[in-house]
Amino acid sequence: MAVLVLLVHEAGRIKTPSRAAVAAAASLGDIHALVAGADTEAAAQAAARLPGVARVLRAEAPALAHPLAEPLAALLVSLAPGYSHILAGADAIGKNVIPRAAALLDSQPISDVCAVIDADHFVRPIYAGNALAHVHSADAIKFITIRAASFDAVAETGGSADIHPVTLPELATPAHFLRAELSNSARPELPAARVVVSGGRGIGSAANFALLDPVADLLGAAVGASRAAVDAGYIGNDSQVGQTGKIVAPELYIAVGISGAIQHLAGMKDSKVIVAINKDAEAPIFQVADFGLVADLFTTLPALAGELARSKAEQA
Amino acid sequence: MKILVPVKRVVDYNVKIRVRSDHSGVETNGVKMSMNPFDEIAVEAAIRLKEAGAAGEIIAVSAGPAAASETIRTALAMGADRGILVQSDAELQPLGVAKLLAALVRQESPDLVIMGKQAIDDDMNATGQMLAALLGWPQATFASAIAVAGPGIEVTREIDGGLETLSLPLPAVITTDLRLNEPRYASLPNIMKARKKTIDQLTPEALGVDVTPRLRTLRVEEPPRRQAGRIVGSVDELVAALRDEAKVI
Ligand SMILES: Cc1cc2nc3c(=O)[nH]c(=O)nc-3n(C[C@H](O)[C@H](O)[C@H](O)COP(=O)(O)OP(=O)(O)OC[C@H]3O[C@@H](n4cnc5c(N)ncnc54)[C@H](O)[C@@H]3O)c2cc1C
Ligand SMILES: Nc1ncnc2c1ncn2[C@@H]1O[C@H](COP(=O)(O)O)[C@@H](O)[C@H]1O
């Protein structure tokens, strides 16, 4: 049986968590990918180029202009017969839609899957990643969100699937989109970044957060944050890393002025190399750091930018 | 407006949990239990709507063992008006809880359900979406602001690129994110008053709901431990280590 993956797209590109979900689906069956929206031409073609995708289902309707849960869940339910598994990345859209669609088909969703053992057996983190649960599902259609940091996203090109139009079932969508405030950063997005530089409460102010910029620029890094930094208004909510924020596993994670609460570690402890910069030698972040620097961040960050620039110039 | 607030009793967020040696689950015996932090935020949101004159009665609901009545009592001490305990010693999963809540909604006819986005034990982030689906209601998950607007409600949600604001007619389901508010502590007089508030008791059977778990836990494992690395003495040493040893820059 085939499996269906709901893809999230932006500006005609398929987002990284969705491409990770395609990777996770590889062992489950032929992959059909769903692209929904009000203007899906480019995104449908991008989906067709994803390696491993056998067919693209393209749903285009004005009611899909914003990825609201109600129409997307109705669409998934209308397509569900014929699929053994329906997957999405565990991003804001996947988390919003997948459980709603699952409930409509009396299926218990399996959230944030970090390993696919076989068609019925999955591994997912519980208790902020302090335990891993092996779960078995007997539901006829399994609804799954995929933890992107645990899978290597498929490339953006290499495949050539057919594109089939599908129609959105009639429904009155009571919720209305009013407006969005999106942060437009030129930096890579957190789930896709090879390097992440994150700041915590120790940074002290929104203005001081700019101290991270030169280091992030030199490393081509995304900028993340602890919850304390987000709550204090130093940086937007979409930068929060942790149990209830974004989960990242970059090659290099640099935590600056972050103590290392379990809820923060939950979002970054699978990074390949972790660096911690903190003036408190007892901070728990040092227990997971490969390299720790016990120092004041206000003197360290400029020095680090200088040394990175020097090292880069030497290597060039 | 009548508001229903589901509250879950979970292992306190400060507890460092341990996986049982037989891998059957996580040790919860003798561990401090509290209200799920997102549910505290939901209770606070409901109370603020009431204080603003937008809401009337607030009902706190919990499904779980008898001890979950303590969690309801906490919500009552914060300011909820009455409680309902759906008592069950069985393992409850989000689909089962959503069905229990849907049955209660049909009995109580609230205009709004405000609940946590995620329980910090199972980290499922599913029950609110499933309840909205079962009721055929609109949903606004991951809320960071709620405003009553005419006959409906406007909810600002945390999404991947930032924030989005939706307008929803009532009845609706809202799930809370961390930035929605800072929950109050119950004052001593309010804790005393809460003792006199009623908590009705029901069972899944009485509500006609089958809560048999759909996911079978095969085993629970410790995640791989990270080895602590080393403390470097200077920025130069750090950059050299990242370049020559770890080879990540
Ligand atoms: C339900 C729930 C969910 C949560 N989800 C998340 C989540 O997703 N992500 C998350 O991050 N947190 C989350 N938290 C919060 C978490 O528990 C911590 O409160 C938070 O991570 C602390 O942030 P912090 O490390 O920046 O702040 P603090 O713990 O205050 O640490 C600041 C650090 O900065 C250091 N410092 C200060 N000044 C300097 C200086 N000049 N130079 C160098 N170092 C300095 C200090 O030594 C300290 O270690 C959650 C909490 C709850 C209850
Ligand atoms: N047993 C329960 N009793 C009451 N509310 C619950 C229960 N389980 C889950 N909830 C609610 O559903 C939310 C999301 O939980 P979950 O889907 O398990 O992550 C929680 O924050 C609670 O508001």
Side-chain angles (χ1 to χ4, degrees):
Chain A
M1 247 205 222
V3 302
L4 184 64
V5 182
L6 170 66
L7 300 181
V8 175
H9 55 95
E10 188 180 84
R13 291 179 66 180
I14 309 302
K15 305 279 271 185
T16 308
S18 297
R19 289 189 286 111
V22 171
S27 62
L28 296 172
D30 277 353
I31 299 174
H32 294 186
L34 173 62
V35 172
D39 175 14
T40 52
E41 170 84 47
Q45 281 172 15
R49 286 192 295 271
L50 297 181
V53 171
R55 171 183 293 185
V56 174
L57 307 184
R58 176 179 174 200
E60 185 154 305
L64 295 168
H66 300 285
L68 299 183
E70 295 82 1
L72 281 175
L75 179 61
L76 286 177
V77 168
S78 73
L79 298 171
Y83 292 108
S84 59
H85 298 72
I86 296 184
L87 299 88
D91 48 33
I93 294 171
K95 289 180 194 170
N96 194 31
V97 174
I98 290 290
R100 186 173 177 110
L104 294 172
L105 293 173
D106 197 35
S107 177
Q108 165 64 50
I110 314 163
S111 306
D112 218 12
V113 163
C114 62
V116 175
I117 307 295
D118 62 37
D120 310 313
H121 177 175
F122 308 91
V123 187
R124 57 181 304 273
I126 54 175
Y127 290 90
N130 288 302
L132 297 173
H134 283 251
V135 295
H136 180 279
S137 164
D139 285 328
I141 304 178
K142 297 174 210 341
F143 284 84
I144 294 171
T145 58
I146 290 294
R147 171 169 285 215
S150 303
F151 295 86
D152 286 327
V154 297
E156 284 185 282
T157 56
S160 60
D162 296 335
I163 301 175
H164 295 249
V166 293
T167 45
L168 178 67
E170 286 285 330
L171 90 164
T173 301
H176 281 288
F177 172 88
L178 292 179
R179 60 186 172 273
E181 295 153 57
L182 301 179
S183 49
N184 38 14
S185 160
R187 298 192 184 288
E189 291 187 298
L190 279 169
R194 199 189 67 86
V195 181
V196 174
V197 180
S198 286
R201 197 198 310 266
I203 302 281
S205 71
N208 287 350
F209 239 80
L211 286 170
L212 297 176
D213 288 343
V215 173
D217 287 341
L218 283 157
L219 295 170
V223 172
S226 70
R227 173 186 170 186
V230 174
D231 284 1
Y234 302 169
I235 187 165
N237 61 279
D238 54 315
S239 300
Q240 179 176 316
V241 171
Q243 179 185 19
T244 53
K246 298 217 164 82
I247 312 288
V248 298
E251 300 241 316
L252 174 61
Y253 188 91
I254 306 183
V256 185
I258 292 178
S259 62
I262 48 174
Q263 293 86 5
H264 187 79
L265 302 186
M268 44 65 78
K269 70 179 163 47
D270 293 331
S271 305
K272 189 160 158 258
V273 175
I274 296 175
V275 170
I277 300 170
N278 195 305
K279 68 178 180 189
D280 174 9
E282 304 298 319
I285 190 79
F286 288 120
Q287 288 163 23
V288 300
D290 299 284
F291 303 106
L293 191 55
V294 181
D296 186 280
L297 68 93
F298 294 103
T299 51
T300 303
L301 283 172
L304 180 58
E307 188 56 26
L308 284 171
R310 189 160 33 250
S311 168
K312 212 171 170 178
E314 267 171 34
Q315 278 177 311
Chain B
M1 170 167 27
K2 184 166 163 181
I3 306 180
L4 192 81
V5 186
V7 292
K8 186 176 186 186
R9 179 174 184 265
V10 297
V11 171
D12 187 86
Y13 81 97
N14 273 316
V15 170
K16 179 97 182 70
I17 58 102
R18 281 205 344 269
V19 171
R20 286 199 205 108
S21 50
D22 65 0
H23 297 285
S24 63
V26 160
E27 192 52 71
T28 51
N29 274 337
V31 166
K32 182 178 178 211
M33 306 293 283
S34 300
M35 188 191 299
N36 184 41
F38 289 98
D39 304 353
E40 291 181 343
I41 295 171
V43 174
E44 177 69 33
I47 297 170
R48 289 193 190 179
L49 286 172
K50 182 170 178 171
E51 286 171 347
E57 192 180 36
I58 301 171
I59 309 166
V61 179
S62 194
S69 63
E70 292 162 22
T71 309
I72 297 175
R73 206 55 84 182
T74 305
L76 298 177
M78 287 173 73
D81 297 296
R82 64 184 167 95
I84 302 174
L85 171 67
V86 182
Q87 202 187 321
S88 170
D89 291 320
E91 180 192 348
L92 297 174
Q93 292 180 348
L95 180 60
V97 175
K99 288 178 181 174
L100 292 173
L101 294 173
L104 285 175
V105 164
R106 290 189 187 106
Q107 287 190 357
E108 294 287 346
S109 308
D111 304 283
L112 195 58
V113 178
I114 309 182
M115 54 203 288
K117 80 164 179 182
Q118 179 173 343
I120 61 163
D121 49 4
D122 68 11
D123 280 334
M124 272 288 192
N125 194 332
T127 309
Q129 297 87 316
M130 300 182 91
L131 174 62
L134 295 178
L135 296 168
W137 290 8
Q139 71 188 51
T141 51
F142 325 150
S144 64
I146 302 175
V148 175
I153 199 148
E154 283 185 18
V155 180
T156 300
R157 313 177 50 229
E158 300 206 357
I159 57 172
D160 285 336
L163 299 170
E164 96 180 350
T165 303
L166 304 181
S167 130
L168 292 88
L170 298 178
V173 175
I174 296 175
T175 77
T176 61
D177 218 318
L178 296 168
R179 252 78 55 186
L180 182 57
N181 59 49
E182 273 208 44
R184 69 194 63 193
Y185 291 101
S187 67
L188 199 55
N190 286 343
I191 293 172
M192 303 305 285
K193 266 196 254 166
R195 292 196 185 152
K196 299 204 192 72
K197 296 181 181 172
T198 52
I199 300 181
D200 291 324
Q201 295 221 9
L202 290 166
T203 59
E205 296 71 39
L207 289 167
V209 173
D210 175 6
V211 292
T212 311
R214 297 295 188 79
L215 290 180
R216 191 158 48 89
T217 299
L218 304 172
R219 65 179 179 279
V220 174
E221 290 174 351
E222 294 261 359
R225 288 232 168 275
R226 264 196 106 88
Q227 295 292 321
R230 66 167 200 268
I231 298 294
V232 293
S234 68
V235 165
D236 295 13
E237 198 186 322
L238 174 61
V239 171
L242 292 177
R243 185 185 55 217
D244 305 330
E245 210 176 304
K247 301 193 172 22
V248 286
I249 60 169

